[in-house]
Amino acid sequence: MDLEKKVKKMGLGHEEGFGAPCLKCKEKCEGFELHYWRKICRNCKCGQEEHDIPSSNEEDRKVGKLFEDTKYTTLIEKLKNDPVYKRNVMILSSPVPAKKNITIDTVTYEWAPPVQNQALARQYMQMLPKEKQPVAGSEGAQYRKKQLAKQLPAHDQDPSKCHELSPSEVKHMEQFVKKYKREALGVGDVKLPGDVEVRAPDENNLKNGGGRGTSSAVGTMEKSPNRKASQYHCKLNMKEGDPAVYAERAGYDKLWHPGCFICCTCSELLVDMIYFWKNGNLYCGRHYCDSERPRCAGCDELIFSNEYTLAEGQNWHLKHFCCFDCDCVLAGITYLTVNDKPVCKSCYMKNHAVICQGCHNAIDPEVQRVTYNNFNWHATRECFLCSCCSKCLIGQKFISVEGMLFCSVACKEKMMS
């Protein structure tokens, strides 16, 4: 299968991603070109989320699929039988006095809490850090887009987005996804603390293993506007009149400031308030899955096979423990690590090895070398020598000037004159 077909199979065609610059390393990226199983750009090695790729439709389909077969079906709609996220876009208009006429200043939020009270949604937005408010065309909108890709990778929920899963792996993944939708997935609820109804746990649900506030725990409800709810993250009190975020699976006796509704692992805002609840903690989708299954450091997918390898402190599919540069399988051969990525010796020598100032050849990582002021030499009589008289300097005092070596002040002055 050629590269283009592989790319389209992974869900990204030329029209959606090719040519998009990398926001992280614009100087060296020629445009986004998806590696067919690594989920990164073949040109700059950065993730898709680092590239300026128009992907709102794809992201809405991804979130729609996440909410399919859950209690959150009100947040999706069917388009050609595919579930699509009904993202709540909020447009605020305010008059601005001008010299002659009053103009209208319009601000569009690419996402806002799905509440009927727009004033409450506006309050919520103003309580987020300004650089994380998803105003269209802003740094905050770019942040939301990046977190959607990072926190909710499509390959954590859809086997068709994964690389060559076996029928057994597909089955195990589908069971895993059903389980986390049933037991952990939730969407935050924005309310004023005084308006919250407390849900008492249902005894039958507790006997069946459910907990307070889960989607299956209906129980009885009581109004308690004067109770003291605990601020679950920062432990600071809520200001009167400020909205709070609640997580049904945590129970309505716990609440969060809008800016405190974050993943317990990466500490990033939970994108669109989508959370996963486990052992008293909020997780984003990625880190919840990481707490349940090993993740392959090569393809970024969860591992559902019985056999995988552990190397360099990370987990790998057997077929994905490959050179980061040329993709050759590394099992049984010498490799080195560059920025925590495994690289075969051939690619290391070609692309990453330091250069000897003496012979101007790459230095084999397994041979001795001398390093001084970011310059390197083979530790041999032929390379580590005086630039003037060629005296061997191994074990001798020397003077270094911009990568040149001298055995004495006389040699230095003679060479530099």
Side-chain angles (χ1 to χ4, degrees):
M1 186 184 294
D2 62 30
L3 173 63
E4 182 175 352
K5 289 181 180 177
K6 287 176 179 176
V7 167
K8 289 187 176 180
K9 184 178 179 182
M10 296 299 293
L12 184 69
H14 283 273
E15 69 281 358
E16 293 181 273
F18 283 71
C22 179
L23 302 175
K24 189 175 181 180
C25 54
K26 295 178 182 177
E27 308 83 19
K28 65 178 182 179
C29 185
E30 299 172 359
F32 184 76
E33 185 180 346
L34 182 66
H35 187 286
Y36 69 98
W37 58 261
R38 285 193 187 274
K39 319 296 188 300
I40 61 173
C41 176
R42 294 174 69 96
N43 293 318
C44 65
K45 308 292 188 182
C46 294
Q48 182 179 336
E49 68 276 6
E50 300 291 351
H51 291 75
D52 190 18
I53 302 172
S55 58
S56 59
N57 291 338
E58 186 67 28
E59 295 293 357
D60 286 346
R61 286 194 291 269
K62 176 181 71 176
V63 178
K65 188 170 181 63
L66 178 66
F67 290 153
E68 190 177 29
D69 301 323
T70 70
K71 66 174 291 182
Y72 301 106
T73 51
T74 55
L75 297 176
I76 63 176
E77 59 184 349
K78 291 282 187 177
L79 291 180
K80 297 181 180 179
N81 295 321
D82 290 329
V84 177
Y85 182 32
K86 290 193 298 184
R87 190 162 34 97
N88 184 40
V89 177
M90 182 170 69
I91 301 175
L92 300 177
S93 300
S94 55
V96 178
K99 290 184 179 180
K100 294 183 178 180
N101 300 309
I102 293 178
T103 60
I104 303 298
D105 186 23
T106 301
V107 177
T108 300
Y109 290 92
E110 293 188 351
W111 170 86
V115 294
Q116 292 183 344
N117 185 341
Q118 192 180 79
L120 189 65
R122 186 170 189 168
Q123 271 186 289
Y124 166 89
M125 285 300 183
Q126 291 172 343
M127 291 180 69
L128 296 180
K130 190 167 184 63
E131 69 275 10
K132 296 181 179 179
Q133 296 176 13
V135 176
S138 72
E139 177 186 0
Q142 192 65 39
Y143 172 80
R144 174 182 174 271
K145 176 183 172 182
K146 184 174 180 178
Q147 294 308 316
L148 273 171
K150 198 73 176 175
Q151 295 184 21
L152 302 172
H155 49 269
D156 277 7
Q157 58 160 312
D158 186 352
S160 71
K161 302 295 184 183
C162 298
H163 179 238
E164 297 178 352
L165 296 185
S166 68
S168 174
E169 289 173 308
V170 170
K171 181 179 179 182
H172 281 100
M173 183 175 183
E174 289 173 344
Q175 291 173 344
F176 174 73
V177 172
K178 285 180 181 179
K179 184 174 183 290
Y180 74 56
K181 285 185 177 184
R182 183 175 65 249
E183 298 179 1
L185 174 65
V187 180
D189 202 3
V190 177
K191 293 179 180 292
L192 293 173
D195 295 339
V196 172
E197 295 175 322
V198 182
R199 297 191 179 196
D202 185 289
E203 291 184 6
N204 292 327
N205 180 64
L206 291 176
K207 289 178 183 178
N208 292 328
R212 183 205 307 265
T214 61
S215 58
S216 57
V218 179
T220 58
M221 304 183 76
E222 55 177 328
K223 190 86 169 181
S224 184
N226 297 318
R227 65 185 177 82
K228 292 184 178 180
S230 61
Q231 213 300 321
Y232 201 61
H233 177 70
C234 67
K235 308 300 181 185
L236 299 177
N237 292 329
M238 302 292 297
K239 292 182 180 179
E240 187 175 353
D242 280 352
V245 182
Y246 293 83
E248 183 181 24
R249 291 190 184 275
Y252 281 83
D253 58 331
K254 299 178 181 67
L255 52 81
W256 288 259
H257 293 114
C260 292
F261 200 62
I262 63 176
C263 171
C264 68
T265 299
C266 63
S267 299
E268 297 289 355
L269 279 180
L270 291 165
V271 65
D272 293 11
M273 299 193 301
I274 299 169
Y275 70 88
F276 291 73
W277 182 253
K278 179 182 177 182
N279 296 335
N281 290 304
L282 293 170
Y283 289 84
C284 67
R286 170 177 291 274
H287 291 113
Y288 170 81
C289 291
D290 286 351
S291 74
E292 293 284 312
R293 303 289 310 185
R295 186 182 294 278
C296 176
C299 68
D300 196 48
E301 295 170 14
L302 300 172
I303 299 175
F304 292 96
S305 55
N306 292 327
E307 293 184 348
Y308 59 95
T309 189
L310 178 65
E312 302 300 327
Q314 300 182 91
N315 302 298
W316 310 77
H317 287 112
L318 297 178
K319 62 186 176 183
H320 290 157
F321 185 54
C322 302
C323 171
F324 196 63
D325 287 1
C326 71
D327 291 338
C328 73
V329 177
L330 295 173
I333 68 172
T334 300
Y335 70 90
L336 300 100
T337 57
V338 178
N339 298 324
D340 297 325
K341 305 294 185 183
V343 177
C344 71
K345 188 173 178 179
S346 176
C347 283
Y348 180 87
M349 292 295 292
K350 180 182 176 181
N351 303 323
H352 307 288
V354 295
I355 302 301
C356 174
Q357 289 294 115
C359 67
H360 303 292
N361 292 321
I363 301 177
D364 189 307
E366 296 181 275
V367 305
Q368 285 190 321
R369 74 172 188 261
V370 179
T371 300
Y372 185 80
N373 283 350
N374 295 322
F375 294 105
N376 299 273
W377 296 263
H378 286 103
T380 63
R381 298 176 62 88
E382 294 77 21
C383 292
F384 194 64
L385 43 74
C386 177
S387 298
C388 179
C389 68
S390 300
K391 176 184 175 181
C392 176
L393 296 175
I394 296 175
Q396 305 295 317
K397 292 183 178 180
F398 62 88
I399 301 169
S400 175
V401 180
E402 297 179 358
M404 293 187 293
L405 301 174
F406 302 101
C407 62
S408 64
V409 173
C411 275
K412 171 190 170 186
E413 290 178 347
K414 183 178 180 180
M415 192 74 174
M416 303 296 286
S417 61

